[in-house]
Amino acid sequence: MSILNFKDIKLVISRALSPETEILKYRFKPFTKSKTGCFGTHSSLEVITQQEANKKKYVVSQSFFVKTFPESFLIREELMDEDMFTEEVHFYDEVQPLMMNKLKLQRWSPKCYLAREHTLVFEDLRAQDFNVIASNEFDLLHLRAALSALSRFHASTILTEKRLGITMKQAYPNAFNEKLFACHKKFARGIPVGFDAIAYMAKKFGLNSSIVPKIYNLVFGLVKMQGNGCNVICHGDLWKNNILFDKTVPHPNCVMVDYQFLRYASPNTDVAMLIYLHTNPEFRQKHELDMFNHYYSSLNGMLSRNKCALEEFSYDVMLKDYHKHKIVGMALGCLYLPGVFLKPELLQKIMNEPETMNAWFLGNRKKIIQQNMDDHPDYEQNLKDRIVELIQEAEKVILSGYN
């Protein structure tokens, strides 16, 4: 962990409060009892300050969320690519401020007060009553809130590009490189392992497992920047722990965190991932089009208010693009959910123990999946529903030659 010195903390307080704020003392402590993320060490920075108002002095406690490079040697050497963390540092140091400059949009990410090599200091969202919701599946209210936040994030890219006159990829040619579907990356070695598990489950459920390698190849191409069509900076890792909600009634606010898997590609890779990781097939049969329409309406509203009407972001173009890319969301759901659906104590074991995490990501996870299917019928049914959906979509798309 990179330790912040007094000068660093003074800079954080200056940006968060004011340069005149006096620091009385500070301390670091673990952010939570159990680990909440794989690729960072999380801690809480508590600062006691003295502030003056109306000629009176007040002692105030201020908390911050600190994210540093993982302490585990095994994770750093076997699982984590260096650029995963440096990408996020660069994002908060240069890209995110540019995306928010001159834009009157409700926020979609936390405020960052310090971004430097191996260290990020954010506002403490927990102190503002933002939390991950307990359920693995979102209800309509929370899914709409998440899609609205995602649309603000994507709109920020589009409006910034309009202002600059170039794409964000042109502005930052070495940023937003693919990390999941990239043959030369450490963490990407876990993707073939995950697809092997998908093939194993497909075969177990009596489905066409031979099509799984073709799904991998299709998704590999779909997450790349489109030569003709809509591209934005995409979050790329929209699982439940990276999506926080407050308790505002009747509509909760939503903020997305962890920008380590950024890519520059179709916004619908994000939309499909968000929908397919947090809803079940029955829900999608009823509400999928409504959810896409909610996302598009929110996106289009922000673009219209900023006098930005682009043909590549028209409703018909975007809806066709969503249908093309929703298999990405299906595939990512089948990669993520066998872990997410595990019993909480087993998932925490994977998150907390580097050796167990390494075995899950890079080893043979089929044994753990099978054992949990044997022990928990609901776990098996949840996975079966999603594997069936993926294989059926693949047969329609790949075997028909649809593009």
Side-chain angles (χ1 to χ4, degrees), residues 116-246:
R116 72 176 194 197
E117 185 181 15
H118 293 176
T119 306
L120 290 159
V121 181
F122 299 99
E123 63 180 320
D124 185 357
L125 291 172
R126 185 173 59 179
Q128 302 171 44
D129 215 16
F130 277 89
N131 284 289
V132 174
I133 63 174
S135 175
N136 289 325
E137 295 179 358
F138 292 173
D139 58 25
L140 275 169
L141 189 67
H142 287 90
L143 185 57
R144 285 195 180 102
L147 287 165
S148 294
L150 185 62
S151 69
R152 295 193 296 271
F153 173 47
H154 291 162
S156 297
T157 296
I158 300 166
L159 295 171
T160 301
E161 290 183 341
K162 180 184 178 185
R163 187 175 78 246
L164 296 178
I166 58 173
T167 69
M168 294 298 277
K169 188 61 178 174
Q170 290 170 325
Y172 300 102
N174 297 319
F176 325 125
N177 295 318
E178 181 63 34
K179 299 169 189 66
L180 282 179
F181 295 90
C183 300
H184 59 288
K185 299 288 186 179
K186 291 180 188 176
F187 186 72
R189 291 180 296 159
I191 299 301
V193 175
F195 273 91
D196 284 346
I198 291 174
Y200 169 79
M201 289 184 283
K203 185 175 182 180
K204 174 182 174 58
F205 299 140
L207 303 168
N208 178 13
S209 61
S210 65
I211 203 171
V212 173
K214 296 178 181 178
I215 298 174
Y216 173 84
N217 291 333
L218 177 62
V219 173
F220 193 96
L222 288 173
V223 297
K224 297 180 184 297
M225 181 177 69
Q226 301 184 102
N228 295 310
C230 46
N231 295 287
V232 297
I233 301 173
C234 295
H235 185 284
D237 193 23
L238 292 169
W239 77 294
K240 60 171 287 185
N241 277 20
N242 290 341
I243 306 171
L244 281 63
F245 303 91
D246 70 5

Side-chain angles (χ1 to χ4, degrees), residues 299-346:
L299 177 74
N300 186 57
M302 284 177 279
L303 297 183
S304 297
R305 286 193 294 274
N306 286 274
K307 299 179 181 179
C308 180
L310 301 174
E311 184 178 341
E312 61 266 37
F313 293 98
S314 70
Y315 178 81
D316 290 342
V317 169
M318 287 286 283
L319 181 59
K320 182 179 180 181
D321 187 75
Y322 175 76
H323 285 303
K324 177 181 177 180
H325 284 88
K326 71 178 184 178
I327 195 169
V328 175
M330 293 180 182
L332 290 171
C334 292
L335 289 172
Y336 276 68
L337 295 179
V340 174
F341 285 157
L342 292 171
K343 290 295 181 181
E345 57 271 19
L346 181 52

Side-chain angles (χ1 to χ4, degrees), residues 276 281 284 330 385-393:
Y276 277 84
R284 291 190 288 273
M330 293 180 182
D385 290 344
R386 288 154 176 86
I387 297 294
V388 168
E389 189 178 40
L390 172 64
I391 299 301
Q392 288 178 346
E393 179 70 11

